[in-house]
């Protein structure tokens, strides 16, 4: 007979995804992609520990049909993407201090 | 659609609590791309117990059970047998740090592997107890600075070579053991896929660079891991039923000095220590190639 786990009181189960938390405040440097030079190799996407680079449909007329887009709500500014980009088209720019 | 070398599905959720540039967060992202929805994780005390966040947060699209520091091996044994009894098709994964694996969890892991339950055990190795503030473990490399192996006038760095966990696992005649690192994500992906296809206990040793603990800038995580492989400090290989295979043989090696000098934890190293590390990794690499060659004739445990 299977163990009647259904009858147990609910154990503490964590349900809220961390994507509810914006991580932008951790960042001091902001990666910026120069799409004129980007070759859509997605190496930056592959190495991001924060899943903060999304592969999105490119605007009409762009040389590749998809481009990497940085989600600044979650990017922590580690700079791995800029360090690994083979054509060095990501620059790390200083975040400005708020008002 | 542009081609990506890894599947696009994500099981790691953004907004998690890992430090910027964390090698352990990226390793989980790659591992779960390979294991997919059937993965069920058991995680003891370690950085990865903090990365998903405090209650009520979660950062994975698969179930995660927290367990005590010393019992990941027992936990995955129970999970694996439990799922079997319930007729559930799950891939049970133990995911622990080097302290939780090579030190405090070693007997529990050894017993689980000896009993032969069906699970994948991952040691993500940041080479110290990082979650509690960089204390040395038995997997800390020789000569590394940590807070418990301080470098000063009388006290000097970690002594003794790093514990060989894959060697210990192979001595259990484990069906599959491998090394991996996020700088070679396709290699890591393939090893997780392979591990998932094999019955019985599997062990994967991930070298997981830690920017604050190893004292290097956070954009260098991948570069450091890549240099560990290119300098023979961390060879990529797998052992399947006693057959050894080096999965990546660099066309050109780099001197260990290039790997060591980019990390603050080795900044103090005198020349003779660098030479000693070079000689040791050269010898270990030759030994590994010999095992690969010899095990073609029959398993080497
Ligand atoms: C029995 C027990 N002893 C000590 C601790 C405190 N503790 C929590 S995490 C940790 C360090 C874990 O180190 P490691 O396994 O290497 O993982 P890392 O933090 O480096 O990822 C320690 C000592 C604990 N939780 N339980
Ligand atoms: S790594 Fe560089 S070239 Fe490749 S997709 Fe990213 S930004 Fe573009
Ligand atoms: S800076 Fe780091 S967190 Fe931000 S997009 Fe690049 S790799 Fe991801």
């Amino acid at each position: 007979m299977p163990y009647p786990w259904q009858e147990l009181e609910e154990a503490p189960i964590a349900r809220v995804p961390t994507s509810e938390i914006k991580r932008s405040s951790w960042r001091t440097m902001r990666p910026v992609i120069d799409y004129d030079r980007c070759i859509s190799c997605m190496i930056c996407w592959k190495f991001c520990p924060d899943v903060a680079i999304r592969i999105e449909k490119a605007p009409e007329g762009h040389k590749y049909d998809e481009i990497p887009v940085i989600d600044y709500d979650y990017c922590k500014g580690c700079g791995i993407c800029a360090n690994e980009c083979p054509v060095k088209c990501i620059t790390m720019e200083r975040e400005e201090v708020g008002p | 659609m542009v081609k990506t070398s890894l599947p696009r599905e994500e099981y790691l959720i953004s907004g998690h609590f890992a430090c910027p540039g964390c090698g352990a967060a990226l390793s989980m992202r790659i591992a779960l791309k390979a294991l997919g929805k059937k993965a069920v994780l058991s995680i003891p005390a370690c950085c990865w117990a903090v990365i998903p966040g405090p209650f009520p947060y979660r950062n994975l699209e698969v179930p995660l059970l927290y367990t005590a520091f010393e019992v990941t091996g027992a936990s995955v044994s129970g999970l694996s047998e439990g799922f079997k009894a319930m007729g559930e098709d799950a891939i049970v994964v133990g995911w622990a740090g080097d302290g939780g694996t090579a030190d405090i969890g070693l007997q529990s892991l050894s017993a689980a592997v000896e009993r032969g339950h069906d699970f994948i055990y991952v040691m993500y190795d940041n080479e110290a107890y990082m979650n509690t503030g960089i204390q040395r473990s038995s997997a800390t490399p020789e000569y590394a600075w940590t807070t418990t192996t301080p470098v000063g006038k009388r006290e000097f760095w970690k002594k003794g070579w790093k514990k060989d966990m894959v060697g210990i696992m192979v001595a259990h005649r484990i069906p599959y053991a491998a090394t991996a690192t996020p700088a070679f994500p396709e290699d890591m992906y393939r090893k997780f896929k392979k591990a998932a296809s094999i019955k019985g206990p599997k062990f994967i040793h991930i070298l997981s660079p830690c920017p604050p603990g190893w004292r290097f800038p956070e954009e260098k995580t991948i570069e450091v891991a890549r240099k560990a492989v290119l300098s023979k400090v961390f060879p990529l290989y797998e052992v399947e039923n006693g057959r050894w295979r080096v999965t990546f043989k660099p066309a050109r090696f780099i001197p260990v000095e290039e790997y060591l000098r980019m990390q603050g934890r080795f900044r103090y190293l005198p020349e003779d220590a660098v030479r000693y590390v070079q000689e040791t990794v050269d010898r270990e690499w030759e030994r590994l190639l010999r095992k690969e060659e010899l095990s073609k004739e029959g398993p080497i445990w």
Side-chain angles (χ1 to χ4, degrees):
Chain A
M1 206 195 82
Y3 189 72
W5 55 272
Q6 294 93 335
E7 289 164 26
L8 295 176
E9 273 182 54
E10 192 171 291
I13 296 174
R15 298 179 193 279
V16 183
T18 46
S19 50
E20 296 287 316
I21 312 162
K22 304 282 184 263
R23 277 282 169 233
S24 359
S25 64
W26 281 27
R27 193 173 59 234
T28 53
M29 301 294 277
R30 154 188 293 253
V32 177
I33 302 178
D34 174 0
Y35 289 107
D36 288 340
R37 285 164 53 221
C38 169
I39 55 171
S40 284
C41 65
M42 303 306 170
I43 286 176
C44 53
W45 164 82
K46 185 168 77 177
F47 285 127
C48 177
D50 284 278
V51 209
I53 302 183
R54 326 243 176 250
I55 301 175
E56 289 183 7
K57 223 174 122 46
E60 205 60 47
H62 190 73
K63 55 193 163 159
Y64 302 96
D65 58 352
E66 287 179 311
I67 50 168
V69 175
I70 294 168
D71 187 337
Y72 293 109
D73 279 348
Y74 302 113
C75 166
K76 289 176 188 157
C78 67
I80 288 179
C81 51
N83 200 61
E84 297 308 317
C85 171
V87 298
K88 296 279 166 246
C89 71
I90 306 180
T91 44
M92 299 302 289
E93 294 175 6
R94 226 183 100 94
E95 287 286 357
E96 290 310 319
V97 185
Chain B
M1 266 201 357
V2 298
K3 243 180 92 100
T4 52
S5 62
L6 295 176
R8 295 184 179 202
E9 289 81 39
E10 302 290 356
Y11 299 90
L12 177 70
I13 299 171
S14 298
H16 59 66
F17 287 71
C19 304
C22 174
L26 179 57
S27 299
M28 180 69 88
R29 181 177 169 223
I30 298 163
L32 288 183
K33 278 175 185 282
L35 301 177
K37 279 201 289 290
K38 285 189 199 158
V40 176
L41 285 114
S42 176
I43 299 186
C46 60
C47 287
W48 246 104
V50 176
I51 293 171
F55 187 82
Y57 289 112
R58 65 175 174 99
N59 76 335
L60 297 178
E61 300 289 10
V62 296
L64 184 179
L65 176 84
Y66 289 119
T67 192
F69 204 10
E70 53 280 76
V71 293
T72 314
S75 170
V76 291
S77 303
L79 281 174
S80 152
E81 294 307 316
F83 283 125
K84 211 189 307 172
M86 291 170 75
E88 286 245 14
D89 184 17
I91 304 171
V92 175
V93 183
W95 185 278
D98 48 295
T101 304
D103 295 345
I104 195 168
L106 189 56
Q107 66 85 10
S108 175
L109 169 63
S110 170
V113 173
E114 190 273 334
R115 288 190 301 264
H117 305 288
D118 189 20
F119 60 83
I120 302 173
Y121 189 107
V122 180
M123 167 169 85
Y124 74 93
D125 181 9
N126 48 29
E127 303 197 311
Y129 291 71
M130 291 307 181
N131 185 38
T132 40
I134 328 176
Q135 293 85 18
R136 64 89 93 183
S137 80
S138 56
T140 302
E142 187 154 13
Y143 296 115
W145 163 91
T146 68
T147 54
T148 47
T149 52
V151 178
K153 284 210 178 68
R154 283 182 300 130
E155 236 1 277
F156 294 102
W157 44 67
K158 156 79 160 38
K159 295 184 185 70
W161 201 252
K162 184 182 171 70
K163 191 183 273 185
D164 174 12
M165 273 308 300
V166 170
I168 291 171
M169 288 294 104
V170 171
H172 287 69
R173 301 182 179 236
I174 195 168
Y176 185 75
T179 63
T181 189
F184 295 83
E186 294 81 10
D187 176 81
M188 184 189 284
Y189 176 85
R190 200 188 52 73
K191 284 166 176 165
F192 272 91
K193 276 278 184 213
K194 188 169 210 173
S197 75
I198 295 171
K199 271 228 142 341
K202 283 83 60 178
F203 182 82
I204 298 182
H205 176 182
I206 296 179
L207 184 73
S208 174
C210 169
W214 297 9
R215 297 287 194 252
F216 65 83
E218 51 223 24
E219 75 269 15
K220 299 285 185 197
T221 296
I222 300 301
E223 199 178 316
V224 169
R226 187 182 300 121
K227 286 193 170 157
V229 174
L230 296 181
S231 63
K232 306 179 193 163
V233 167
F234 191 79
L236 294 175
Y237 61 98
E238 63 187 5
V239 190
E240 201 179 342
N241 293 316
R243 312 267 172 176
W244 297 62
R245 196 170 77 81
V246 182
T247 57
F248 176 68
K249 288 180 183 160
R252 191 185 68 85
F253 294 105
I254 60 169
V256 285
E257 183 142 25
E258 259 187 63
Y259 169 69
L260 300 172
R261 294 279 181 226
M262 67 188 295
Q263 304 168 57
R265 62 177 175 158
F266 294 120
R267 188 178 302 138
Y268 315 89
L269 274 200
E271 279 309 318
D272 58 330
V274 174
R275 233 179 359 260
Y276 169 77
V277 175
Q278 184 69 62
E279 282 164 16
T280 310
V281 300
D282 285 347
R283 209 169 44 240
E284 289 293 317
W285 175 259
E286 289 308 319
R287 216 159 68 91
L288 182 61
L289 293 182
R290 286 246 303 284
K291 283 190 213 163
E292 181 179 44
E293 211 33 56
L294 284 174
S295 68
K296 284 180 183 149
E297 290 159 22
I300 297 181
W301 300 108

